Amino acid sequence: MGSESAERKADRITEKEKTEKSQEKKLEEEIQYKPYTEYDLKLFYSLVDIGDMEKYYKEKLGDPGEFPFTRGPYKTMYRDKLWTMRQYAGFGTAKETNERFKFLLAQGNTGLSLAFDLPTQMGYDSDDEIALPEVGKVGVAIDTVEDLSTVFDGIPIDKISVSFTINGTAPQIMAMYLVVAKKRGITWEKLTGTLQNDILKEIIARGTWIYPVEPSVKLSCDVIEFCSKNVQRFNPISVCGYHIREAGATAWQEIAYAFENAKVYVSEVLSRGLDIDSFIKRVTFFFCTYHNLFEEVAKYRAARRMWAHICKELGVKDQKNMAMKFAVAVGGASLTRAEPLLNIARVMLGALATVLGGGQSIFTEAYDEAYSIPSEHSAKIALRTQQILAFETDIPLVSDPLGGSFFIESLTDQIEQRALSEMKRIEAYGGMVKAIKDGFVQSIILSEAYRQQKLVENKLKKIVGVNIFEDKNGDGNQKFEIFRPREAHEKAKLLQEYKKSRDNTKIQKLLDNISFALERNENVMPYLIEAFENGATIGETTKAIKKVYGEFNEPIVV
C-alpha cells in the first residue's frame, strides 16, 4: 500500500486547521460576557434611584414584620426559627413512599411534602384501565384511606407539618387525611401543613383539571371554609405561581396571575358570609425560584408588598393577617439533563435567593430531577444544600440582609409595577375566570414560553452545557435510578379485592349523598369524610362529583 501523497497530507492538515479555528471561534463567541436580562439595568445604582430615603422607607419598606411586609412577615425571621426544609417525595407504592419519608426525616428534613401519581391527581382509581400505565410513576398511588395511612405509618403527623401537592382531588385528599388522623386518635386542631388546592392554575398551566371552572372553585372553597372552622392550624390552600412560571410565564406574571387567582377564591369564600380575617392568614402561596438571584429576591419582596395592599383593599383589618407566607420549589425547568451535576450549583443559587427573599418553606430539587425520580443520594444532596445555608453561613442571622440596596429596591419596584400592570390587563379583560375560560391567560403564557425558547435557541439566553460550553463526552452515560411501576397491576388487583370486601350498598348510598349535597350547593367536605370513613375510593368519589358537575372542556389556545 503506497504512502500518503504530499497533496492529500496537506489537504488533511488544512482541514484539521479549519476545524480547530472553527472550534476556537465558537469558544470565543461563547465566552463573550453578554448575560441576558429582562430588565433595563443601569451600570450602578445610587440614592438618585430611590429619592427621599426616609420617605421611601416609611412608605414602601418599613421594618421586617411591619406593613407592607416588604422586608419579611416576621421581625426576627430566621434568627428565631429557620425556614421549613420540606423535600418533595412520593413514588410507587405507599410503603416505598413511607420509607423515603423516613429516610428524609433521618437526614434532617423538617417538613414533608407528598407527590401523587397522575391517576390520583385526576381522580382515577388504580384499577381503572386508563390509569394503569401511570400508576405510581410520578408520585404515589392513593386510592383509599388505608393507602394514605401507610404513607404516614410511624410518622407523628401531629408533630410534623405535611404538604399535599394536589388540586383536582384536593377535597378528597384532605378528607382522607382527616380520617387518618381521627383513626389514630389525633384531634384535627393538632394538624399542621398545607393543601395546594389551587385548581385555577391547573387549568391555566398544568392540566390536571377535572371539573368546569366555577364548580372547581366552589370545591376548593369548600375546603377553605371547612378548615377555617374545623382544622384551624392547617393551610387549606397554597395559591400556586410555580406551575405558571414553569409553563413559561415571567417572574412578574407568576405573581400577578397567582394574586388574581387568589382574589377569585377569596371572593367566593366571602360570598359565603365568612369574615375575611377568619381565614385570610391561611391563604398561602407557592412560587418557583430559579437561579437568577437578584430577580428572585426582588420578586418575593415585591410580592409581599403587593399582597399586603391587596389584603387591605379586600377589607382585612388585622395587619398581621396581611403578611404573605410562601413556600418555594427551587430548580424546576431551569435544571438541565445535560451535565446534571451542574444543577447542584443552580439549586444552591436558587435556595440562596429564596432565603434572601424571605421564604417560609423550601424544597430544593435534586440534580437528576430533569428526567428521573430522585435517588436517595441526589435527594440527600438537595437537602444538604439547604442545611449548608442554614448552619454554615451567617445569612439567617439578619432579616432582609439586602434591604436598602439601591439596586434591590429599584428592581423590587420594577417587578411590582410590571406585576400590577399584568393584573390590570386581566381585570380589563373581565377577570381571571373569564380569562381562563376563554383561554386568554393561557395564550399569554404560551407566547411567552415560545419567546423564551427562541432566546435559548438563538443563544441570547445562555445555559452552560446546553447552548454554550457543551460537553459532548460528559455525563451522557451516567446512570440514574428511574422508578418503574412494576406493582401497578398488583395494586389494581388488590384494590379490586378491597372493593369486593366492603358493604357496597352502603358505599353507593354515601356516594349518592355526595352528589345530592352538591345539587343542594352544600359544603361537600362532611360527605367526603363520611364516605372515606366507610371505605370509598378516590375514583368513586370523583365520579359522584362528575355526576353533578361534568368535566371541563379545555379551550383552544393559539
Side-chain angles (χ1 to χ4, degrees), residues 369-429:
E369 202 143 353
Y371 57 98
S372 171
I373 295 292
S375 64
E376 283 193 352
H377 175 258
S378 65
K380 182 166 72 171
I381 289 175
L383 176 59
R384 293 287 185 257
T385 302
Q386 295 193 53
Q387 292 167 335
I388 289 170
L389 285 174
F391 298 105
E392 293 189 23
T393 77
D394 55 4
I395 294 168
L397 298 179
V398 178
S399 300
D400 189 32
L402 296 185
S405 156
F406 299 132
F407 171 48
I408 287 295
E409 299 306 347
S410 178
L411 189 56
T412 299
D413 291 347
Q414 272 196 64
I415 291 176
E416 180 182 24
Q417 289 308 309
R418 292 189 185 191
L420 288 170
S421 177
E422 205 65 42
M423 291 179 73
K424 288 177 182 177
R425 182 183 186 184
I426 297 299
E427 288 161 9
Y429 186 83

Side-chain angles (χ1 to χ4, degrees), residues 124-164:
Y124 293 100
D125 283 340
S126 295
D127 63 347
D128 193 307
E129 187 177 353
I130 197 173
L132 276 174
E134 292 293 334
V135 172
K137 257 190 181 177
V138 299
V140 64
I142 300 295
D143 299 307
T144 66
V145 166
E146 284 72 13
D147 289 333
L148 197 61
S149 183
T150 300
V151 166
F152 295 105
D153 182 48
I155 295 172
I157 59 174
D158 55 337
K159 295 178 181 177
I160 190 165
S161 67
V162 179
S163 173
F164 297 100

Side-chain angles (χ1 to χ4, degrees), residues 97-115:
T97 298
N98 174 261
E99 290 169 356
R100 178 59 65 88
F101 273 170
K102 288 177 177 176
F103 168 79
L104 289 169
L105 290 171
Q107 302 306 315
N109 213 45
T110 56
L112 297 176
S113 182
L114 185 59

Side-chain angles (χ1 to χ4, degrees), residues 439-506:
F440 177 68
V441 67
Q442 295 94 313
S443 180
I444 294 171
I445 295 170
L446 186 64
S447 297
E448 183 58 34
Y450 178 78
R451 185 181 75 86
Q452 292 289 337
Q453 182 60 30
K454 297 305 291 185
L455 289 172
V456 173
E457 291 176 5
N458 295 326
K459 295 189 177 182
L460 294 172
K461 189 174 184 179
K462 297 177 173 64
I463 303 175
V464 174
V466 174
N467 62 5
I468 58 169
F469 307 119
E470 297 170 65
D471 185 357
K472 303 296 185 183
N473 301 310
D475 298 306
N477 297 319
Q478 188 166 347
K479 293 182 179 180
F480 293 88
E481 294 180 23
I482 301 175
F483 178 80
R484 303 189 192 286
R486 297 165 298 177
E487 297 83 1
H489 286 279
E490 183 181 345
K491 178 79 167 72
K493 184 180 178 181
L494 290 172
L495 181 59
Q496 288 167 358
E497 292 173 357
Y498 171 86
K499 289 178 178 178
K500 290 176 183 177
S501 69
R502 308 170 304 178
D503 181 348
N504 284 300
T505 302
K506 183 177 183 180

Side-chain angles (χ1 to χ4, degrees), residues 102-363:
K102 288 177 177 176
F103 168 79
L104 289 169
L105 290 171
Q107 302 306 315
N109 213 45
T110 56
L112 297 176
S113 182
L114 185 59
F116 299 89
D117 69 357
L118 286 176
T120 304
Q121 292 180 50
M122 301 194 74
Y124 293 100
D125 283 340
S126 295
D127 63 347
D128 193 307
E129 187 177 353
I130 197 173
L132 276 174
E134 292 293 334
V135 172
K137 257 190 181 177
V138 299
V140 64
I142 300 295
D143 299 307
T144 66
V145 166
E146 284 72 13
D147 289 333
L148 197 61
S149 183
T150 300
V151 166
F152 295 105
D153 182 48
I155 295 172
I157 59 174
D158 55 337
K159 295 178 181 177
I160 190 165
S161 67
V162 179
S163 173
F164 297 100
T165 304
I166 196 75
N167 298 279
T169 54
Q172 288 102 308
I173 293 298
M174 189 71 218
M176 281 185 175
Y177 192 56
L178 296 178
V179 173
V180 170
K182 187 176 179 181
K183 287 187 173 183
R184 292 191 187 180
I186 298 171
T187 58
W188 294 347
E189 64 187 19
K190 293 183 179 179
L191 298 177
T192 60
T194 302
L195 187 73
Q196 193 159 101
N197 193 31
D198 177 9
I199 196 59
L200 292 178
K201 64 88 182 175
E202 289 293 329
I203 298 173
I204 291 171
R206 188 163 175 270
T208 62
W209 38 260
I210 303 174
Y211 321 107
V213 177
E214 288 91 347
S216 295
V217 171
K218 188 266 184 195
L219 291 169
S220 292
C221 292
D222 279 357
V223 180
I224 298 171
E225 180 184 25
F226 184 86
C227 287
S228 71
K229 298 173 181 177
N230 302 284
V231 201
Q232 295 180 344
R233 295 179 64 203
F234 203 94
N235 301 321
I237 190 168
S238 181
V239 186
C240 183
Y242 177 90
H243 297 103
I244 292 171
R245 182 80 176 280
E246 291 280 82
T250 62
W252 59 89
Q253 287 172 335
E254 175 189 11
I255 56 176
Y257 299 157
F259 288 159
E260 284 297 314
N261 286 346
K263 288 166 67 177
V264 173
Y265 298 122
V266 171
S267 177
E268 165 64 21
V269 176
L270 288 176
S271 72
R272 302 181 182 199
L274 272 71
D275 179 78
I276 193 166
D277 280 281
S278 71
F279 69 89
I280 196 68
K281 70 177 180 181
R282 293 295 174 192
V283 175
T284 61
F285 292 86
F286 182 59
F287 293 119
C288 181
T289 305
Y290 292 158
H291 52 281
N292 206 8
L293 189 142
F294 294 121
E295 177 184 49
E296 298 295 358
V297 173
K299 178 184 78 177
Y300 294 132
R301 300 174 84 253
R304 272 193 300 269
R305 184 158 69 209
M306 289 173 65
W307 183 243
H309 285 291
I310 290 169
C311 285
K312 198 169 187 178
E313 291 168 7
L314 289 170
V316 178
K317 300 178 183 63
D318 188 341
Q319 281 198 354
K320 290 181 181 178
N321 293 339
M322 302 177 190
M324 186 188 82
K325 320 293 195 314
F326 70 94
V328 308
V330 176
S334 69
L335 304 188
T336 67
R337 179 167 181 160
E339 299 190 62
L341 290 175
L342 300 183
N343 292 330
I344 297 173
R346 294 183 177 107
V347 169
M348 171 60 90
L349 284 169
L352 175 60
T354 304
V355 173
L356 292 174
Q360 279 60 66
S361 177
I362 301 176
F363 157 45

